[in-house]
Amino acid sequence: MSPEELYAFDLNGYLVVENAVDPPLLAEAQARAAIWEERAKLTRPGQAPEPGETPRRAYRFDRIVNDEETFLQVALSPQVLARIVGLVVLPRLKSTWLDFKAQGGGIGFHSNHTPYNPVEAYIFQQRVCASLVTVCYALNDVPLEGGALEVVPGSHKANLPMPADERAVEPLRRRLPLKAGSALIFSHDMNHGSTNRLPYVRRCLFASFATGSSAHTQGDNDLYDAAFARMPEGSWLKYFLRRPKGDRDSYPMPKRTVAEEFGLEPAQVCEVSA
Ligand SMILES: O=C(O)CCC(=O)C(=O)O
């Protein structure tokens, strides 16, 4: 996380990292996502739903990294992990899901720093201490109208609740288009939502990162035990997959930096001490 990136993240609540996923891994993830999209059985544009069924415009597969190693590798992309350590104290992988949004599919706007919600609160205490950071990996290009995340920049620090009439916030919203392989890293305390208005399917892999004391929402403490067991001793990959711990998270943090573990250019990614 360069000082410029950190400044931008603190100010806005999000950061886009282009080419966050290595091209061969991205190609593999795209091929696998195409197969999962078939399983999602989305209603195609112009296709009438089965009698008695509501159209399915959006679908997500939770805990996807436990089903597919490829998605685990994407979720734990080094370019992202190197930044997460500067944003989340004692960071851990929390939730993952493979997300499809066909035309008309979307998720309503949610979150704002006030009222305070400790599960996702963004605070600054000598460093950024974001309780919940979500990463949206674009598996295909996400154009402005095609389900680009719509955010209210800065709302992760809002001192006042959202106005009751959310239309008042419209002029403050910004849409964040993405190129395939990019990662949009955002504080879940920032107001956000999305709708795909185009005739294509938005394919994204989501991964969220929480502080070590935050419980899983997609399972019990043992959610990632199998993947944890496969990872090298003392590695950041193992660290990110450790169990949550409710009192004092004393699991040893790797000695070397994420950049050192993965051979990233130090100039490319300058980590803030965790
Ligand atoms: O699917 C999206 O565009 C947004 C996902 C979202 O709202 C969330 O991660 O809370």
Side-chain angles (χ1 to χ4, degrees), residues 9 87-89 120-123 128-133 187 209-211:
F9 187 92
L87 301 175
V88 183
V89 177
E120 60 189 16
Y122 178 95
I123 54 172
V128 171
C129 306
S131 307
L132 183 62
V133 168
S187 160
F209 296 87
T211 196

Side-chain angles (χ1 to χ4, degrees), residues 97 99 101 107-108 110 134 147-149 186 188 192-194 202 206:
W97 63 102
D99 191 89
K101 284 191 172 58
I107 180 163
H110 55 283
T134 300
L149 197 73
F186 63 99
H188 200 274
H192 61 281
S194 69
R202 190 196 79 168
F206 282 85

